[in-house]
Amino acid sequence: MAASERTKDLPFVRGDIAKFRHYVGVPLNPYDGPNIGTVFIFSSTPSKEGLSETHRSYLFETASHIIRHLEQAVEALEGKRLLKFNQGVASLLRMGSSAGLAAESAQEQPLPESRDKQQSLVSNLYNDSALRLYQLSATLLYDAFEFDGVRIQEPGPSGNFVNRNPAWNGSSILAEHLGPRAHKPQSLSHTLTSRLLELFPQGAVFQVLDEKSKIVAATSASDVALVDDPVISMELSRSFPGAVQIVLMPLWDTFHERTTGAVLGFANTQSRVYLGSTDLASISAFCTTIMTQVRRLEAQAMDKIKSDFLGSVSHEMRTPLHGMLSSLELLADIPHNAHQHDLLETARYSGLSLLDTIERVLYFSNISSGSYNLEHTGSNVPSEGLVHPSSLVQHKPAASPRESDTVEAINICEDIIHSESQRLRLKEAVQSEPSMG
């Protein structure tokens, strides 16, 4: 090395660092992969006969012990990360329901001003439960994957879409969680977000090189290339100042078949290296769980809206219908002939049938919303000398949740059958009464 023009001026060749001039080494390659280092032994004088077989075996055995230790350390580290990931998914599943989010909101201490602003960034299209779920997801991603910061944001309006909601503050950020060492990311332009989602629909890991305009993207272990898109090369590193690693994962809504947002996690150091072959799969699974919970909240909100609408319409229809039936009863007390009597009974039967239909619509809306009250509905059904099944259930021992659900379903079906039987008996009575007269 001292005779080579390329290496003769290196400090360890000149002897500025150490006087050792002769060395031998064994490479370290855990999991039979690429070399990550070397075990060296140095000497100031050369060995005329070289290393003995015993020394060579000892050197290789030492390197083997180091490799096994490194492999165990990596497996222990991955085990801890896997545990964090599982805990994060479990927390998301536990707190993703509306009941869980409500309980969390009731137990939570007052939020700092900065975090409270983060949660209220988008207020036009999302209810409080969905925004709290996104904020919880950003926090869990930050903890599970050891990011310095996480941002979840919408892809931005498309076409000529204009939001006229006065409560909208113009932000597309759904949630954000920043660590103590993170720099505040800048707002991503709609052009940059669209290009990222278009070119990397399955996510990517970006490595920012020393030259800020050069970015390497990895989507798998074998697919690693320099990004040649000018928008991404110029704006991505500028939007995340100080970040050397940026992970992108789109939020794909399978129900609506569209991308509703993107998760962007970033790190300021290389102490935690993110790989396209392993980390992207875990983050993708986490994001799928996020969208599943968001979809469930949307379904619950829609069910509540439909149930409230049916209940409101049913009540509004029952009020004038009760007035019509009362007027018919008063009108029946006035002297009338047989033909008028038939008309009154037909109108009365039609009103009762319509009232029964409205009642069943109201019952079904209560069943779908989970607020069906057996005691209330059971009291409206005439017994006519029969023992109602719900009265027998009250004296039974406490049942398990599954048995309780079964008993409740049986009672609901029996209530409907009793109501239908009453309607049929009324219909037969009305049809037979004119002939009897």
Side-chain angles (χ1 to χ4, degrees):
M1 297 179 72
S4 174
E5 290 293 332
R6 187 173 61 89
T7 58
K8 68 178 183 178
D9 293 329
L10 296 176
F12 64 88
V13 176
R14 292 199 310 262
D16 298 341
I17 297 178
K19 299 299 182 181
F20 301 126
R21 306 286 293 173
H22 307 276
Y23 61 91
V24 63
V26 176
L28 300 174
N29 52 349
Y31 301 106
D32 296 327
N35 297 339
I36 64 171
T38 309
V39 179
F40 284 110
I41 57 173
F42 297 89
S43 175
S44 58
T45 58
S47 175
K48 295 181 180 181
E49 299 178 356
L51 290 179
S52 65
E53 188 66 28
T54 303
H55 288 165
R56 290 171 61 88
S57 299
Y58 177 78
L59 188 59
F60 276 99
E61 185 179 354
T62 302
S64 177
H65 287 313
I66 295 175
I67 290 174
R68 284 199 296 270
H69 177 74
L70 290 174
E71 291 175 349
Q72 292 176 358
V74 169
E75 292 170 359
L77 182 60
E78 290 300 326
K80 291 181 180 178
R81 289 172 177 171
L82 180 61
L83 178 61
K84 280 186 174 182
F85 172 79
N86 292 334
Q87 290 175 345
V89 172
S91 300
L92 190 62
L93 293 174
R94 182 175 63 254
M95 303 304 296
S97 63
S98 57
L101 289 169
E104 181 196 15
S105 176
Q107 298 175 1
E108 193 176 53
Q109 300 295 329
L111 295 173
E113 181 181 359
S114 59
R115 186 177 173 189
D116 183 65
K117 288 182 178 180
Q118 291 174 0
Q119 288 191 341
S120 61
L121 287 174
V122 178
S123 58
N124 58 323
L125 299 176
Y126 300 89
N127 53 34
D128 293 339
S129 298
L131 287 177
R132 292 184 62 81
L133 179 63
Y134 279 121
Q135 183 60 43
L136 174 64
S137 303
T139 303
L140 293 175
L141 283 166
Y142 170 85
D143 293 333
F145 294 94
E146 303 174 9
F147 287 117
D148 287 325
V150 175
R151 169 178 286 184
I152 303 177
Q153 72 171 54
E154 295 178 298
S158 58
N160 298 323
F161 174 79
V162 177
N163 195 321
R164 295 182 174 85
N165 191 328
W168 187 46
N169 57 8
S171 174
S172 60
I173 301 175
L174 298 174
E176 191 173 75
H177 188 101
L178 302 178
R181 298 181 300 175
H183 301 284
K184 177 71 174 178
Q186 300 179 5
S187 298
L188 275 67
S189 64
H190 299 322
T191 304
L192 174 59
T193 307
S194 301
R195 294 296 293 167
L196 289 173
L197 297 176
E198 177 184 355
L199 296 178
F200 305 98
Q202 305 299 325
V205 178
F206 300 99
Q207 302 284 344
V208 181
L209 304 182
D210 294 336
E211 300 85 356
K212 297 298 183 181
S213 59
K214 291 186 177 181
I215 299 176
V216 175
T219 56
S220 63
S222 58
D223 190 3
V224 181
L226 188 67
V227 178
D228 58 357
D229 186 89
V231 176
I232 298 177
S233 301
M234 295 300 296
E235 296 188 20
L236 187 60
S237 58
R238 188 186 310 162
S239 301
F240 294 91
V244 297
Q245 297 183 95
I246 304 169
V247 180
L248 165 73
M249 183 55 62
L251 291 174
W252 176 254
D253 187 352
T254 56
F255 183 81
H256 298 100
E257 294 186 353
R258 63 179 181 179
T259 301
T260 60
V263 171
L264 292 161
F266 60 91
N268 297 334
T269 63
Q270 293 282 0
S271 59
R272 165 70 158 94
V273 179
Y274 298 93
L275 303 176
S277 57
T278 56
D279 292 298
L280 280 184
S282 300
I283 296 176
S284 176
F286 201 98
C287 291
T288 302
T289 307
I290 294 174
M291 294 311 302
T292 301
Q293 297 301 89
V294 169
R295 176 58 192 158
R296 185 168 72 172
L297 290 177
E298 290 179 355
Q300 290 175 352
M302 291 301 298
D303 287 342
K304 186 178 185 303
I305 291 174
K306 290 187 292 185
S307 178
D308 292 345
F309 173 76
L310 288 175
S312 176
V313 169
S314 300
H315 285 293
E316 293 296 330
M317 294 175 65
R318 283 193 304 177
T319 300
L321 190 55
H322 279 299
M324 294 168 56
L325 292 174
S326 301
S327 300
L328 288 173
E329 291 182 2
L330 294 176
L331 187 60
D333 295 336
I334 301 176
H336 53 273
N337 56 32
H339 179 66
Q340 292 172 343
H341 175 78
D342 293 343
L343 295 177
L344 286 173
E345 288 300 324
T346 302
R348 179 172 171 271
Y349 164 71
S350 301
L352 290 175
S353 178
L354 180 58
L355 179 61
D356 182 69
T357 302
I358 294 174
E359 291 286 350
R360 282 186 290 171
V361 170
L362 183 60
Y363 293 161
F364 290 143
S365 66
N366 290 336
I367 293 171
S368 62
S369 64
S371 60
Y372 190 85
N373 191 341
L374 288 176
E375 296 180 358
H376 176 72
T377 56
S379 61
N380 293 334
V381 180
S383 60
E384 297 186 6
L386 299 177
V387 179
H388 198 275
S390 61
S391 63
L392 300 177
V393 177
Q394 294 176 356
H395 302 287
K396 292 184 178 180
S400 63
R402 180 174 298 181
E403 293 174 350
S404 299
D405 294 340
T406 304
V407 171
E408 182 177 356
I410 293 174
N411 290 335
I412 292 173
C413 294
E414 291 178 346
D415 287 341
I416 296 174
I417 292 173
H418 277 280
S419 178
E420 187 67 17
S421 301
Q422 180 188 12
R423 188 179 68 84
L424 292 175
R425 286 195 298 269
L426 178 62
K427 179 179 180 181
E428 292 175 356
V430 172
Q431 291 177 350
S432 62
E433 188 172 349
S435 58
M436 291 173 61

